[in-house]
Amino acid sequence: MNPVITCTNLTHHYGKRLIYENLNFSVPEGRILGLLGKNGTGKTTTINILNGYLKPSGGECTIFGENIRHINPITKQRIALLIEGHVQYSFMNIEQIERFYASFYPKWKKEAYYELMDLLKVAPRQRIANMSCGQRSQVALGLIMAQNADLLILDDFSLGLDPGYRRLFIEYLREYAKSEQKTVFLTSHIIQDMEKLIDDCIILDYGKILIQKSVSELMDTFKKFTFKIDDAQPSLPADNEFYNPAVYRGNGELFTFQNKEYVEQYLHKHDIEHSQLMSESLNLEDIFIGLTGKY
Amino acid sequence: MSKTYKIIYYILLTAILAWLLPWFYNLATLKKERTPFTLYSEIIEDFAMINVNQNEKDLRYTDRKGDIYTERQFDSILPMFYYRQLVTDNRLPDTIRGVPVTASKIRRENFIFRTRPLDINVHHPELYSLLESRSKRVDLTMPDDVFRLTKNGIEFIDMESNQVNKEKSALFQSVFQQKEVAFPIRTIAGNPTNRKEYDEGYLFTDNEGKLFHLKQMQGRPFLRPISIDADVQISQIWVTEFLNRKYFGFLTDVNNQFYVLTAPDYSLVKVEIPPFNPKKENMTIFGNMFSWTVVQSDKKDEILTAIDAKTLTAIDSMAYHNADKDKTGLASYLFPLQLSFTSTKDKFFYPRLKDFSYRALALNLVLLVVYVLLFRKTKFSTTKLFKSLSIAVLGVFAFIPALLMRE
Amino acid sequence: MIKAILYKEWIKIRYLFLLAAVILMAFTAYCQLRIGNVISLRSAAHLWEILLTRDNTFYEAMRYVPLFSGVLLALFQFVPEMQQKRLKLCLHLPLPQNKIIGSMLGFGVSLLIILFVVTYLIIFLYLNPILAPELISRVMLTMLPWFVAGIAGYAFVAFTVLEPTWKRRLLNILAGVAFIRIFYLSGYAEAYNQVIVWLLIITLALAGLSFLSVSRFKDGVQ
């Protein structure tokens, strides 16, 4: 299958500050891919570059095979965009904004929008500026669904949403994307609930990609190991296979894609007295913390 | 599009700096040197002047030779100008140069005439008030109509109704035809005000260059062709209406010769002064029964000519060279040119480039080198070449925007 | 699609447009009331005499009103676009970028021109029975730079608001102040006659400076 988005050797600096260097990734058709990372790792930078709001310092990105710096307006019709914070034309009301966007998109599905709007308890003449953050997110989502694009790019859609609306948003979006076979590229800094939405994830750390895998593979293979050790052991020696090994009050913990045997060999090799070695499966949020660390 | 506008913005900023930098510089440094107030004295037969020192309080009364006078002495060597002081002090002589004088006679004979380029280089609405010059009242009154000169005639418009007064227009038009005025009118001058002693209406030249005198007398047109030398092509006219009633007006021709149209005989007499271009120079005439002091000045020089009031020939002359220049001369090293939009010589707005200076080229080259060094890491482009050329020619004006617009 | 963009622009500025129209009309009415007073308290001849001999037009109170209208219109049109970087929405629309920005600017400038032309028409209709054509043209030509300044005000405020960085915004403001100053440099009647058409053309061309701001916005200049 052709990738919908490809980025090769993407590099960006703000002034002298390096955001990341030589990033390579692609988004396959029909998948929901989440770009996850802590604040400041360059998630929004990537979205801005993809939408042509930022000229990268180096590298190249294509969407539907076209260079994103000069994308054809016809191709743009196939891309829907949700801006960080569900920003929309808040000086319009829900009817005006629907009328506005409808004329730009030949495949516009008015019903998809009003279906969602009916769930909101807002008057048709109420200005978007006077709505709650959750209501605004639904308006933005409704517009994206009505646009009926092939690719959806969502920048930090969870920002400012309370858990109810976040859940609503996720459920609606997943159902929509899967039934209509849409490709979705999204970012989030809240990982909670994300496993219910995304198929694949890219986890960004400062300056690089930590991992790009499907969520199911990640949840199957990434484990946390805990064990009890002697108080005298202040820290664990580094190992390339381990993420964020730590000791806290005699409890050792480490994260790895390796199995239990590998961990036992490791502890043995370094003569670390231990007991109660246990592995546990993790949810996506814990995997994220395990990979990127708490700090 | 944005590339074009990058250049446009650069040009705009350069133009703004070419205007504002010299403006600020001149504001900070320029000091206008005042020339001494000077008049020709018919007593000492020389120019006498008041030198004003820098503190503006210390006045020095001298003549051209350098003899120093007291204020009292100065009054008496210029009795025509200071006659009121002399009358107050009871010092006015009975005769001057053998001519019996009285205060009222001096007053009647004196006049001051002023013309500035600012009053000539201006858009005037082409509507003219023609006063009644033979009214039965003592004071002149403004008429309730105005006239306009069209391609082939004259018409009067009643101001209250904003309608053409057909009757009056036809009356004047017939007289214009009778006197064979060739329309359209080229130059016309008058003083449409009632704040004067008497009214002489208008002097004008027609399309063939003929000179006419137009007045309104008891509602009837007075139109008199004035025969002048066919070689004289009038370019500027002033109706004088001085108390002495000796002249109808002053005129200049296309060769910048200055003439008086004498009254009541309508003869055109050349005044022996250097060429005078009223569009570029100021002129002030202090006239009295014996002589005129004619002051012609432009930005650089002030030329004074003493004229015999009877013969209108030159008696004497002198000149001041104004130091109306940037004293340090620094501006000529900083700015290759200066842009301004207005002038003290006209009431028009348009861009004017002046004060071109080759001396600024040195600074231009230094700035060009600095620019090339600063931007040596950016790759070559036509924009960069354009900016380099601009800096070479326009120097600091183009250099600053290049820095400001650095990415 | 262009129609939809104009619809969006109209929603943003419709109340301000009405307000600007009311302000312009109010000032026009005020000035004309004063002219009416001169005629009724003195005479029409007195009015003519003043216009013939002085640089007064009786509309001096309106000097800065078009500029004010232009500045406000641009603020109301472009500040909402820059709040939360909403301009991104616009630039994402499936149209060439220059077409989008061009139609936004064109709409604003056209509305201003409509306002100004209507104002001029009202002034002309009022003066036509009172004054000779020479004087009407004198009044209108003297006022013309103030109205072109209104367009310049719009152009430079749009240019400044759409600019992404504060440093450059400051430069744009200074350039705008200097450029607009030009229209108020000479207080003499009809002083701008020779160049006003050129100034208008230059001003309309400078309305496109916003393309530069948008291009910087798209490059993500910070």
Side-chain angles (χ1 to χ4, degrees):
Chain A
M1 234 185 292
N2 282 332
V4 174
I5 301 175
T6 24
C7 287
T8 37
N9 296 327
L10 196 60
T11 304
H12 194 69
H13 307 261
Y14 285 118
K16 283 190 177 137
R17 192 162 66 93
L18 178 76
I19 302 300
Y20 44 59
E21 210 167 2
N22 293 326
L23 228 58
N24 291 289
F25 66 90
S26 58
V27 180
E29 196 178 334
R31 302 283 285 185
I32 303 178
L33 187 141
L35 182 66
L36 312 179
K38 294 184 197 170
N39 287 332
T41 50
K43 298 187 301 291
T44 297
T45 301
T46 310
I47 296 272
N48 280 342
I49 289 172
L50 280 178
N51 285 296
Y53 304 138
L54 185 62
K55 200 171 161 183
S57 316
E60 196 177 71
C61 293
T62 61
I63 295 181
F64 297 119
E66 289 180 33
N67 187 314
I68 44 98
R69 290 305 297 167
H70 346 264
I71 213 155
N72 191 326
I74 305 293
T75 311
K76 269 190 178 173
Q77 288 179 335
R78 299 173 61 196
I79 308 167
L81 174 67
L82 181 84
I83 296 178
E84 194 171 9
H86 316 280
V87 173
Q88 263 306 343
Y89 290 120
S90 52
F91 45 83
M92 294 188 180
N93 61 38
I94 60 172
E95 282 181 351
Q96 287 169 331
I97 203 164
E98 189 273 331
R99 220 177 306 149
F100 170 70
Y101 278 113
S103 63
F104 290 97
Y105 300 105
K107 293 197 288 175
W108 188 259
K109 279 160 85 180
K110 197 176 178 174
E111 321 76 58
Y113 174 75
Y114 278 111
E115 199 180 304
L116 199 59
M117 288 310 103
D118 289 343
L119 298 177
L120 299 178
K121 289 167 187 74
V122 294
R125 293 289 165 87
Q126 190 184 339
R127 280 185 358 142
I128 294 167
N130 300 333
M131 294 180 184
S132 75
C133 187
Q135 288 171 325
R136 282 206 296 271
S137 72
Q138 296 299 295
V139 173
L141 180 66
L143 291 169
I144 280 177
M145 294 188 339
Q147 184 184 333
N148 203 6
D150 300 319
L151 168 65
L152 282 63
I153 298 178
L154 316 177
D155 189 13
D156 215 345
F157 68 86
S158 49
L159 192 76
L161 293 189
D162 54 38
Y165 268 114
R166 195 163 70 227
R167 187 64 65 83
L168 187 68
F169 194 102
I170 284 171
E171 282 167 2
Y172 233 95
L173 181 65
R174 169 123 194 133
E175 155 68 25
Y176 169 75
K178 284 298 150 194
S179 64
E180 309 261 336
Q181 279 145 24
K182 306 293 187 193
T183 308
V184 181
F185 180 76
L186 58 85
T187 69
S188 180
H189 72 283
I190 296 181
I191 318 296
Q192 219 182 331
D193 300 333
M194 206 52 73
E195 65 219 48
K196 294 194 178 70
L197 176 61
I198 60 179
D199 302 320
D200 305 307
C201 71
I202 294 174
I203 295 179
L204 269 182
D205 203 358
Y206 298 100
K208 60 177 191 293
I209 290 179
L210 268 183
I211 222 156
Q212 176 169 10
K213 274 194 162 60
S214 76
V215 173
S216 55
E217 189 191 343
L218 199 57
M219 290 175 79
D220 285 347
T221 56
F222 195 70
K223 296 272 184 303
K224 177 184 180 181
F225 288 91
T226 57
F227 44 88
K228 290 220 176 290
I229 51 171
D230 185 8
D231 270 355
Q233 187 81 26
S235 66
L236 296 169
D239 188 297
N240 281 341
E241 296 292 327
F242 296 165
Y243 295 88
N244 300 303
V247 180
Y248 181 66
R249 289 191 177 188
N251 294 309
E253 66 169 42
L254 54 83
F255 301 87
T256 181
F257 288 102
Q258 294 294 341
N259 55 21
K260 201 169 179 178
E261 285 81 60
Y262 185 91
V263 178
E264 272 177 337
Q265 274 171 21
Y266 160 83
L267 292 169
H268 188 74
K269 192 168 77 186
H270 293 286
D271 291 328
I272 298 168
E273 292 288 327
H274 64 277
S275 58
Q276 300 175 36
L277 176 63
M278 283 191 293
S279 77
E280 51 183 283
S281 294
L282 300 167
N283 64 22
L284 191 59
E285 187 169 12
D286 292 335
I287 292 172
F288 179 76
I289 292 169
L291 280 166
T292 62
K294 284 169 189 144
Y295 305 105
Chain B
M1 195 70 115
S2 62
K3 218 170 185 178
T4 317
Y5 273 104
K6 227 181 232 174
I7 297 280
I8 289 177
Y9 193 36
Y10 178 72
I11 295 171
L12 178 72
L13 290 175
T14 304
I16 287 173
L17 286 176
W19 163 41
L20 287 181
L21 283 183
W23 184 80
F24 277 120
Y25 179 87
N26 291 334
L27 196 71
T29 61
L30 208 64
K31 260 203 176 151
K32 205 179 162 94
E33 198 87 341
R34 275 202 289 164
T35 52
F37 176 69
T38 306
L39 286 173
Y40 183 75
S41 159
E42 34 299 297
I43 305 297
I44 59 164
E45 299 193 334
D46 195 2
F47 288 98
M49 63 248 354
I50 307 173
N51 278 300
V52 182
N53 279 10
Q54 272 154 335
N55 57 19
E56 297 217 352
K57 291 224 170 93
D58 187 13
L59 304 178
R60 246 163 36 108
Y61 303 94
T62 70
D63 59 24
R64 187 163 44 167
K65 291 195 293 285
D67 293 342
I68 297 188
Y69 299 86
T70 64
E71 191 176 5
R72 260 178 87 84
Q73 288 169 332
F74 202 72
D75 295 339
S76 41
I77 63 165
L78 293 167
M80 295 291 118
F81 195 75
Y82 293 112
Y83 71 95
R84 284 171 48 202
Q85 186 63 48
L86 295 176
V87 169
T88 314
D89 299 350
N90 248 326
R91 293 195 282 143
L92 188 70
D94 295 335
T95 59
I96 292 172
R97 295 173 69 107
V99 179
V101 293
T102 61
S104 71
K105 191 176 177 194
I106 294 172
R107 189 183 78 90
R108 235 180 313 118
E109 293 287 338
N110 277 359
F111 68 86
I112 294 175
F113 169 80
R114 272 205 179 92
T115 172
R116 300 179 299 172
L118 189 65
D119 298 322
I120 289 164
N121 302 319
V122 60
H123 290 289
H124 264 307
E126 289 170 338
L127 293 172
Y128 311 91
S129 304
L130 188 60
L131 279 74
E132 173 55 57
S133 56
R134 278 278 173 86
S135 94
K136 297 192 173 82
R137 310 289 308 167
V138 176
D139 291 327
L140 294 168
T141 50
M142 291 304 285
D144 42 26
D145 57 12
V146 292
F147 70 88
R148 76 160 63 96
L149 296 159
T150 62
K151 249 189 210 159
N152 37 32
I154 178 169
E155 63 187 25
F156 283 82
I157 309 123
D158 178 65
M159 292 189 272
E160 211 58 52
S161 65
N162 194 20
Q163 299 289 323
V164 173
N165 183 338
K166 292 213 175 96
E167 211 178 315
K168 189 171 179 181
S169 303
L171 178 66
F172 275 73
Q173 179 75 17
S174 70
V175 174
F176 272 65
Q177 270 160 1
Q178 227 173 64
K179 308 273 175 173
E180 292 176 331
V181 174
F183 284 97
I185 301 307
R186 268 190 209 159
T187 315
I188 182 161
N191 303 312
T193 170
N194 55 0
R195 277 173 241 112
K196 56 188 182 184
E197 290 295 318
Y198 63 101
D199 177 68
E200 280 297 344
Y202 288 84
L203 291 169
F204 68 86
T205 54
D206 72 356
N207 201 29
E208 289 164 3
K210 289 181 291 175
L211 185 61
F212 291 88
H213 187 194
L214 169 70
K215 278 201 282 192
Q216 180 171 224
M217 298 168 91
Q218 293 174 332
R220 299 282 309 170
F222 165 92
L223 184 62
R224 189 183 196 283
I226 303 162
S227 61
I228 52 171
D229 195 337
D231 299 342
V232 178
Q233 278 187 285
I234 301 297
S235 75
Q236 198 75 41
I237 308 173
W238 299 264
V239 171
T240 47
E241 289 162 351
F242 298 145
L243 271 178
N244 64 17
R245 297 194 185 234
K246 280 181 177 166
Y247 324 111
F248 289 118
F250 293 161
L251 303 93
T252 58
D253 68 7
V254 289
N255 300 318
N256 296 329
Q257 301 292 341
F258 192 78
Y259 301 91
V260 169
L261 186 65
T262 59
D265 56 346
Y266 288 102
S267 66
L268 197 65
V269 184
K270 202 173 127 183
V271 183
E272 202 182 352
I273 57 166
F276 169 64
N277 183 349
K279 290 196 164 101
K280 291 186 176 158
E281 295 167 70
N282 293 306
M283 175 189 270
T284 309
I285 303 176
F286 299 93
N288 63 49
M289 56 205 286
F290 298 110
S291 66
W292 300 357
T293 306
V294 183
V295 187
Q296 289 164 261
S297 60
D298 61 10
K299 201 160 71 180
K300 286 199 211 90
D301 302 305
E302 190 171 297
I303 301 169
L304 295 99
T305 315
I307 294 288
D308 185 311
K310 294 238 157 48
T311 61
L312 301 180
T313 52
I315 306 167
D316 202 348
S317 75
M318 66 171 290
Y320 291 109
H321 297 286
N322 257 354
D324 184 20
K325 278 267 155 186
D326 167 21
K327 273 202 211 124
T328 59
L330 196 59
S332 64
Y333 292 100
L334 291 176
F335 310 130
L337 52 86
Q338 305 194 7
L339 172 66
S340 64
F341 296 99
T342 54
S343 158
T344 51
K345 299 210 155 158
D346 60 55
K347 293 183 178 175
F348 305 137
F349 172 99
Y350 61 88
R352 314 144 196 256
L353 293 174
K354 53 172 193 182
D355 295 337
F356 291 93
S357 166
Y358 293 108
R359 280 187 267 184
L361 280 176
L363 178 66
N364 293 7
L365 288 178
V366 171
L367 292 174
L368 178 62
V369 170
V370 173
Y371 173 75
V372 170
L373 286 177
L374 278 176
F375 290 83
R376 65 185 180 278
K377 280 183 186 158
T378 58
K379 62 174 187 284
F380 177 82
S381 65
T382 46
T383 313
K384 208 175 151 186
L385 182 68
F386 175 76
K387 287 184 181 177
S388 304
L389 285 176
S390 304
I391 293 169
V393 177
L394 297 167
V396 64
F397 306 141
F399 179 70
I400 294 173
L403 289 190
L404 290 174
M405 289 183 71
R406 179 164 48 174
E407 297 297 306
Chain C
M1 287 191 264
I2 299 282
K3 232 171 96 183
I5 290 176
L6 303 189
Y7 172 68
K8 169 172 79 76
E9 301 310 300
W10 176 242
I11 290 175
K12 277 187 287 185
I13 56 177
R14 53 191 169 173
Y15 297 116
L16 184 92
F17 178 76
L18 290 177
L19 181 74
V22 168
I23 291 173
L24 265 171
M25 294 312 129
F27 271 85
T28 310
Y30 166 75
C31 294
Q32 297 184 163
L33 217 65
R34 281 185 54 217
I35 294 175
N37 276 344
V38 170
I39 295 172
S40 62
L41 297 177
R42 299 288 298 271
S43 64
H46 184 69
L47 178 73
W48 285 49
E49 203 190 314
I50 290 171
L51 289 171
L52 277 169
T53 54
R54 296 192 211 156
D55 291 308
N56 198 325
T57 62
F58 284 94
Y59 284 93
E60 264 67 29
M62 292 186 72
R63 230 173 139 82
Y64 297 101
V65 178
L67 177 63
F68 184 70
S69 315
V71 166
L72 272 187
L73 196 74
L75 284 177
F76 271 71
Q77 198 180 351
F78 295 106
V79 168
E81 296 289 345
M82 294 308 280
Q83 284 170 337
Q84 300 179 284
K85 299 198 171 178
R86 202 163 273 137
L87 190 64
K88 286 177 178 180
L89 292 170
C90 222
L91 297 177
H92 185 71
L93 294 173
L95 275 178
Q97 176 188 326
N98 286 343
K99 219 170 177 175
I100 299 171
I101 304 303
S103 55
M104 287 166 76
L105 292 167
F107 184 67
V109 171
S110 307
L111 283 187
L112 271 184
I113 290 177
I114 289 170
L115 266 184
F116 295 166
V117 166
V118 168
T119 309
Y120 253 65
L121 211 66
I122 290 172
I123 292 171
F124 176 78
L125 290 175
Y126 177 77
L127 294 181
N128 195 37
I130 307 174
L131 295 177
E134 287 91 341
L135 295 176
I136 298 176
S137 79
R138 183 174 177 82
V139 169
M140 293 191 144
L141 282 169
T142 305
M143 293 174 74
L144 202 50
W146 312 338
F147 286 85
V148 181
I151 300 171
Y154 174 86
F156 275 92
V157 170
F159 180 38
T160 304
V161 171
L162 291 170
E163 161 62 38
T165 69
W166 276 105
K167 226 165 92 190
R168 204 32 121 57
R169 270 185 191 167
L170 186 70
L171 178 66
N172 296 0
I173 288 174
L174 291 176
V177 167
F179 185 73
I180 289 164
R181 174 85 187 101
I182 277 178
F183 296 94
Y184 299 98
L185 215 51
S186 178
Y188 297 121
E190 297 191 65
Y192 290 78
N193 285 11
Q194 289 116 305
V195 291
I196 191 64
V197 173
W198 288 106
L199 282 178
L200 177 66
I201 291 168
I202 290 170
T203 302
L204 289 175
L206 290 182
L209 277 173
S210 293
F211 287 116
L212 185 56
S213 294
V214 172
S215 138
R216 285 166 57 80
F217 179 91
K218 272 204 82 174
D219 288 349
V221 179
Q222 285 194 330

